[in-house]
Amino acid sequence: MPDPQPILQMKGITKEFPGVTALADVDFRLFPGEVHALMGENGAGKSTLIKVLTGVYQAEAGEAVLAGERVHFSSPLKAQQAGVSTVYQEVNLCPNLSVAENIFIGREPRLFGLINNYPEMRRRARELLARVELDIDVTAPLASYSLAIQQLIAIVRAVDISAKVVILDEPTSSLDTGEVAQLFRVMRRLKEDGVALLFVSHFLEQIYEISDRMTILRNGRLVGEWRTSELSRIELVSRMIGTELSVLEALEEQPKRELAALERQEPFLQAAQVGKTGLVAPFDLAIHRGEVVGLAGLLGSGRTEVARLIFGADRAESGTVTIDGTPLSVKTPRTAIGRNIAFCPENRKTEGLVEDLTVRENIILAMQAARGWLRPVPARRRDELVGKYIEALSIRPANPEALVRNLSGGNQQKVLLARWLITQPKLLILDEPTRGIDVGAKAEIQRLVVSLAEEGMSVLFISAELEEVLRLSHKVGVLRDRRLVAELANDESLTADRIMQTIASGEGGAA
Amino acid sequence: MITLTRHRLFWPVVVLVVLLLGNLLEKPDFFAIRIQDGHLYGSVIDILRFGAPLMLVALGMTLVIATGGIDLSVGSVVAIAGAVACLHISKQPDQNAIGGVLIAVVMALGAALLFGAFNGIMVSRIGIQPIIATLILMVAGRGIAQLIMDGQIITINSTPYKWIGAGWLFTLPAAVLIALAMIAVTALIMRRSALGLLLESVGGNAEASRLVGIQSRSLVLLVYAICGLCAGLAGLMISSNVSSADGNNAGLLIELDAILAVVIGGTALTGGRFSIGGTVIGALVIQTLSTTVYTLGVPPETTLIFKAVVVTIVCLLQSPAFRRKVFGRWGPRRTPPASGSAPSEPTNVKVPA
Ligand SMILES: Nc1ncnc2c1ncn2[C@@H]1O[C@H](COP(=O)(O)OP(=O)(O)OP(=O)(O)O)[C@@H](O)[C@H]1O
Ligand SMILES: [Mg+2]
């Protein structure tokens, strides 16, 4: 039973943005030694509540009490100094500084208070990383590591800075199972030390595994606070969504997809011995019309790289790609796009969206790029298309003029998806399309993938969630250590366990 | 009112108006406009007329900055354009022949376009950082202008050429009309075609733009070429106005005024969103400043400091963080601290037993 005195208490928080009330009279409390989950749909106001607490935004009304003292942080730095640290949804560190520098930015150990003591910094960085069982070169630039590792580094930094409250806003959306377990170990250790942890995630399993208590928000309003053990998943989802939705039914296992009929035709895309040293070993992959091919593997196993080589985001050193029987030298994304291939990258902030542009501009971008600047998409048609996809994907706020920067993470992901869907690609490459998306929207996107495939679109589907890959794919390519080690037909015998085994052993098993 | 102050051109316009009104104090007939020989005269007209070259250079600079680049070589291109045109005219048997002047103008603009394209190639094909790539021409360009003119200042006597910078059309200075036409055409192209959107995309996120298939290389090349062209046109105005070409001093430091105008106009140096209207206002602010310095009789040795102070104020006014600090009560309301009551249990939080 947690200690009865909350370490943090927020009351009557109201935050308005032009045209949107992001938070209305929200109360929130956090006890030491607990993991508290903040739940809600995309755009419910979770990140905003966190940003109000940490001084990124100033609330219009409300107050916060930290350890018995009324606080009002004017900047995240002030919050950090008072013991409240945050790891945001998107990694917010400096990509070209070294790992050690990132961990100690703004509080570098100094020699005689003057110059940075690099050896000391490196030693302490290594020590801190060892506590999360991460053994990496701390002098390498941050950008040379995968998003997952960057995320862990951000967490290490947050934890090291503050002892009272650590806020994790969707830290797990880019981590795979092993890394999540690693993170949870770290979180449990902190909990034992009496740290209060605020945790946001759209993965219900994770919430039930790690959290002690949860607060639910809906449309910027407080729904209530519960002990995790006292709220069933169905109750949780219906409180988040507000109605007893049939969404959960959609999450039920769908019948296994039929492969044989598809494979009888000529493949839409055939990659033969495509590869690039350092990225992925040469691989063969055939994608048929109307087929969903899943890619499974641990983070850094080369899933994304396979997609990038096919799309031309990175240039392959060897091999050929054949589309509809005609060979294609994919040199740049533009050539691939010209052959109706679309690619939603996993890192939407750096590779996907132009945050300063509006929702409308972001959605139209791919289509416009294909037409060239001399042939603008006529305004009428553009507005029609944009309106249609805002509606179809329920992008919130449903305002085409909204800046993408101001959208919640999940809604940004939907904008990215809409951008490619309007180009009506024949092959859609989705790299972690459901990352950061709430349960309802996730089911919608999964349904969308299935129906697009039924209409004849081919899909290359990459996800860290094996269940999702299994639910959607006709066949699953398994990657391990930057090598495509197996291609498994998704029949009755294929289970998540068997994929895990394949990943672990690196052998194809019975295909 | 709220939406008005939020408009991104609000503060630059305020500063412009304040500067203009400031002149009124010292010179009550500041806004007076006279008609003489069918031409409009007055201080405001002068600001527009002398500001025309800056508006043009800043126009090109806006587009370059929108892609995340910068062009330091515009001053040199100004000098080169003037040199090419004046050299050609000076060689004509009859300097007043329209034909010769037209050829001179086309040659000068062609040269400017080529030098702009050269910058574009350095940046987009060879991948040199814009500040370095254009620094090359910034330094070399003045040398090229000197070479063209054999180290001399060329003075010409050509009425048609003089018209570009000092002539009149429809009662207004021709330079103003030329600049406005160029601005209007550019703005129209940007917003009617998809060029504006694609440039903002390239400047806003280069990698994402590559992955959606935007041909950023050719766009960047195009933009530097346009910037060169604008600078060339400005160069014609400047040299025409004084009927001579001076390789050393024509357009000196104009790149800095242009960058300032762009920034005052609300286009961020990091690229992305740009505002041509903002740039025009920015250029007018800078030009009005120079005029104000004279009307207020600011001692010449302090003019630069005076300019710097005003520019600093504009930039501060545009920063939301600064405005919140200074005019706190204009920003969003914050509830005043309640009486120091001890934290009590929240009332509407449901905690099942
Ligand atoms: N700076 C801003 N300007 C305008 N609107 C904003 C801004 N920041 C957030 N919003 C809006 O406030 C609402 C709440 O957004 P918030 O990011 O808090 O959602 P969230 O619960 O974290 O969602 P997600 O699960 O997708 O991350 C959304 O409608 C969003 O569009
Ligand atoms: Mg969020």
Side-chain angles (χ1 to χ4, degrees):
Chain A
M1 187 86 328
D3 164 336
Q5 260 310 312
I7 172 100
L8 171 77
Q9 189 144 27
M10 297 174 81
K11 268 202 278 178
I13 303 289
T14 298
K15 175 70 200 166
E16 281 166 21
F17 294 111
V20 195
T21 303
L23 294 172
D25 194 23
V26 171
D27 297 344
F28 176 75
R29 56 187 197 159
L30 190 59
F31 291 93
E34 75 167 355
V35 174
H36 194 123
L38 189 55
M39 304 295 295
E41 288 182 282
N42 294 133
K46 304 179 294 291
S47 300
T48 305
L49 183 66
I50 289 169
K51 286 179 181 164
V52 164
L53 169 62
T54 55
V56 177
Y57 296 148
Q58 309 299 323
E60 268 80 52
E63 60 172 41
V65 175
L66 179 70
E69 258 183 67
R70 206 191 164 101
V71 289
H72 177 98
F73 302 122
S74 52
S75 72
L77 187 67
K78 295 265 163 57
Q80 216 170 64
Q81 285 160 352
V84 180
S85 280
T86 316
V87 176
Y88 288 108
Q89 207 158 357
E90 314 284 349
V91 177
N92 261 349
L93 298 177
C94 308
N96 43 15
L97 293 188
S98 75
V99 171
E101 281 167 321
N102 267 295
I103 294 180
F104 291 104
I105 240 171
R107 51 195 193 98
E108 298 88 349
R110 297 276 166 99
L111 272 181
F112 317 115
L114 283 176
I115 47 166
N116 290 350
N117 183 348
Y118 284 103
E120 168 71 6
M121 195 150 103
R122 285 197 289 272
R123 192 186 56 74
R124 277 175 48 195
R126 254 181 244 116
E127 219 172 79
L128 288 170
L129 290 172
R131 291 210 336 232
V132 294
E133 292 156 41
L134 210 54
D135 181 19
I136 57 173
D137 176 9
V138 297
T139 58
L142 186 76
S144 59
Y145 292 104
S146 71
L147 211 59
I149 297 200
Q150 295 185 21
Q151 191 77 260
L152 282 175
I153 291 167
I155 292 166
V156 162
R157 172 181 160 83
V159 167
D160 186 49
I161 288 175
S162 114
K164 284 187 204 143
V165 175
V166 173
I167 300 171
L168 303 163
D169 190 356
E170 298 197 41
T172 53
S173 52
S174 50
L175 305 193
D176 67 30
T177 335
E179 283 157 330
V180 170
Q182 196 174 357
L183 171 67
F184 282 3
R185 270 202 302 280
V186 176
M187 285 172 70
R188 291 206 180 88
R189 178 150 355 127
L190 290 170
K191 197 169 115 175
E192 280 161 23
D193 294 346
V195 174
L197 293 126
L198 172 55
F199 180 64
V200 181
S201 165
H202 287 293
F203 296 99
L204 301 191
E205 305 77 49
Q206 294 177 358
I207 297 295
Y208 279 90
E209 184 184 339
I210 192 86
S211 76
D212 304 299
R213 198 187 280 271
M214 59 174 82
T215 293
I216 303 179
L217 299 179
R218 183 169 67 233
N219 284 333
R221 297 184 175 276
L222 177 71
V223 178
E225 188 202 83
W226 287 269
R227 289 214 174 83
T228 308
S229 53
E230 285 160 357
L231 197 67
S232 75
R233 283 170 202 226
I234 307 231
E235 282 172 316
L236 165 62
V237 172
S238 67
R239 288 200 162 104
M240 275 166 53
I241 298 176
T243 42
E244 311 285 330
L245 265 204
S246 53
V247 170
L248 289 181
E249 289 164 28
L251 290 177
E252 301 284 305
E253 194 79 1
Q254 290 190 348
K256 291 276 183 182
R257 319 284 315 276
E258 201 39 65
L259 180 65
L262 294 169
E263 301 259 279
R264 252 177 257 128
Q265 305 162 349
E266 278 289 293
F268 169 68
L269 179 141
Q270 172 85 56
Q273 291 301 301
V274 174
K276 177 170 176 149
T277 31
L279 288 184
V280 243
F283 63 89
D284 293 334
L285 188 68
I287 306 175
H288 293 77
R289 209 166 310 253
E291 183 178 42
V292 181
V293 177
L295 288 183
L298 298 179
L299 236 129
S301 61
R303 296 176 314 204
T304 297
E305 288 74 7
V306 165
R308 287 179 66 92
L309 286 185
I310 289 178
F311 185 65
D314 294 314
R315 205 185 284 200
E317 280 170 353
S318 66
T320 53
V321 173
T322 316
I323 290 178
D324 264 342
T326 42
L328 157 81
S329 57
V330 180
K331 293 210 192 78
T332 64
R334 201 175 161 79
T335 26
I337 294 166
R339 299 302 297 271
N340 291 306
I341 303 180
F343 174 52
C344 286
E346 66 175 328
N347 201 337
R348 60 180 170 246
K349 190 173 179 159
T350 56
E351 297 171 349
L353 298 162
V354 187
E355 291 192 301
D356 280 340
L357 297 184
T358 62
V359 168
R360 176 194 292 133
E361 290 168 326
N362 268 284
I363 291 182
I364 207 71
L365 204 53
M367 178 181 264
Q368 187 59 66
R371 294 169 66 104
W373 66 270
L374 284 169
R375 292 194 309 137
V377 182
R380 170 94 84 53
R381 183 162 143 67
R382 178 193 66 194
D383 293 346
E384 216 172 78
L385 280 170
V386 168
K388 182 172 144 205
Y389 279 92
I390 286 182
E391 169 100 28
L393 300 178
S394 55
I395 294 172
R396 292 286 169 275
N399 171 13
E401 303 281 344
L403 287 189
V404 162
R405 164 183 308 290
N406 295 339
L407 256 54
S408 77
N411 283 302
Q412 291 183 343
Q413 182 69 55
K414 294 185 200 168
V415 169
L416 196 54
L417 207 57
R419 170 192 292 173
W420 287 113
L421 289 180
I422 68 169
T423 66
Q424 300 191 311
K426 290 188 182 151
L427 168 62
L428 179 60
I429 305 175
L430 297 171
D431 196 353
E432 301 280 4
T434 59
R435 168 185 297 169
I437 285 201
D438 67 47
V439 267
K442 193 171 193 168
E444 273 167 40
I445 288 182
Q446 293 175 354
R447 236 173 302 164
L448 188 73
V449 168
V450 170
S451 72
L452 288 173
E454 270 161 8
E455 287 162 21
M457 194 186 288
S458 314
V459 180
L460 184 60
F461 189 90
I462 304 177
S463 171
E465 269 181 278
L466 282 185
E467 290 71 28
E468 190 175 55
V469 172
L470 269 175
R471 200 174 305 135
L472 298 178
S473 315
H474 295 96
K475 71 179 181 204
V476 180
V478 180
L479 284 122
R480 174 195 153 94
D481 294 338
R482 303 187 172 270
R483 187 176 290 281
L484 186 66
V485 290
E487 204 182 287
L488 309 170
N490 192 359
D491 52 26
E492 296 307 322
S493 69
L494 190 64
T495 59
D497 278 347
R498 208 176 118 214
I499 295 182
M500 282 310 292
Q501 273 167 23
T502 314
I503 291 174
S505 68
E507 274 154 34
Chain B
M1 185 64 197
I2 296 283
T3 46
L4 188 65
T5 58
R6 240 192 227 120
H7 193 282
R8 52 183 177 164
L9 293 188
F10 177 77
W11 291 106
V13 169
V14 166
V15 171
L16 181 58
V17 169
V18 167
L19 275 176
L20 289 170
L21 292 178
N23 280 289
L24 205 53
L25 292 181
E26 202 54 32
K27 204 175 157 196
D29 64 344
F30 184 73
F31 288 106
I33 292 176
R34 293 169 287 120
I35 300 193
Q36 198 178 320
D37 308 336
H39 303 159
L40 294 178
Y41 285 97
S43 307
V44 181
I45 302 287
D46 283 344
I47 291 177
L48 287 173
R49 182 171 143 204
F50 294 123
L54 178 59
M55 282 191 226
L56 281 174
V57 174
L59 172 70
M61 190 68 80
T62 308
L63 304 182
V64 166
I65 286 179
T67 64
I70 199 150
D71 187 349
L72 297 183
S73 71
V74 283
S76 298
V77 175
V78 162
I80 292 174
V84 170
C86 289
L87 182 69
H88 185 79
I89 293 174
S90 71
K91 285 186 185 153
Q92 301 299 310
D94 174 11
Q95 296 197 356
N96 285 325
I98 294 269
V101 171
L102 275 182
I103 291 175
V105 166
V106 170
M107 279 169 58
L109 293 182
L113 193 74
L114 283 182
F115 280 109
F118 171 79
N119 282 330
I121 289 171
M122 299 288 266
V123 172
S124 70
R125 300 279 150 167
I126 307 183
I128 303 179
Q129 285 195 350
I131 198 165
I132 303 297
T134 58
L135 193 61
I136 297 174
L137 192 55
M138 177 187 180
V139 176
R142 298 229 169 248
I144 295 172
Q146 297 281 345
L147 270 180
I148 292 175
M149 300 187 301
D150 228 2
Q152 306 291 314
I153 292 181
I154 300 181
T155 309
I156 55 170
N157 190 355
S158 162
T159 320
Y161 188 66
K162 180 95 187 160
W163 180 85
I164 299 173
W168 301 82
L169 186 66
F170 309 132
T171 76
L172 283 170
V176 174
L177 293 177
I178 293 173
L180 288 182
M182 185 78 187
I183 289 164
V185 167
T186 312
L188 208 66
I189 292 176
M190 289 301 149
R191 297 307 166 194
R192 278 305 166 87
S193 77
L195 189 54
L197 171 65
L198 297 187
L199 290 182
E200 287 179 337
S201 173
V202 169
N205 188 338
E207 177 62 5
S209 301
R210 185 177 80 93
L211 290 182
V212 299
I214 295 176
Q215 290 166 303
S216 16
R217 282 177 169 196
S218 26
L219 289 181
V220 169
L221 180 62
L222 178 68
V223 155
Y224 279 90
I226 295 178
C227 186
L229 185 67
C230 288
L233 197 50
L236 292 182
M237 284 180 186
I238 291 172
S239 80
S240 139
N241 205 19
V242 293
S243 285
S244 69
D246 176 351
N248 275 328
N249 296 309
L252 198 61
L253 294 186
I254 201 169
E255 62 280 351
L256 297 185
D257 278 349
I259 293 168
L260 273 177
V262 172
V263 172
I264 290 176
T267 301
L269 281 179
T270 45
R273 278 253 176 257
F274 67 89
S275 159
I276 290 181
T279 295
V280 171
I281 292 177
L284 288 176
V285 166
I286 301 270
Q287 191 58 43
T288 309
L289 253 177
S290 310
T291 309
T292 310
V293 164
Y294 293 118
T295 34
L296 294 190
V298 177
E301 59 275 18
T302 54
T303 41
L304 287 180
I305 295 178
F306 179 76
K307 240 174 148 174
V309 169
V310 176
V311 168
T312 312
I313 291 174
V314 184
C315 293
L316 283 177
L317 279 176
Q318 278 177 319
S319 141
F322 175 82
R323 286 207 305 269
R324 199 164 41 216
K325 281 221 171 73
V326 176
F327 322 104
R329 64 213 154 79
W330 289 12
R333 269 176 311 112
R334 269 185 232 160
T335 43
S339 53
S341 63
S344 55
E345 278 296 296
T347 43
N348 54 349
V349 172
K350 286 182 264 169
V351 184

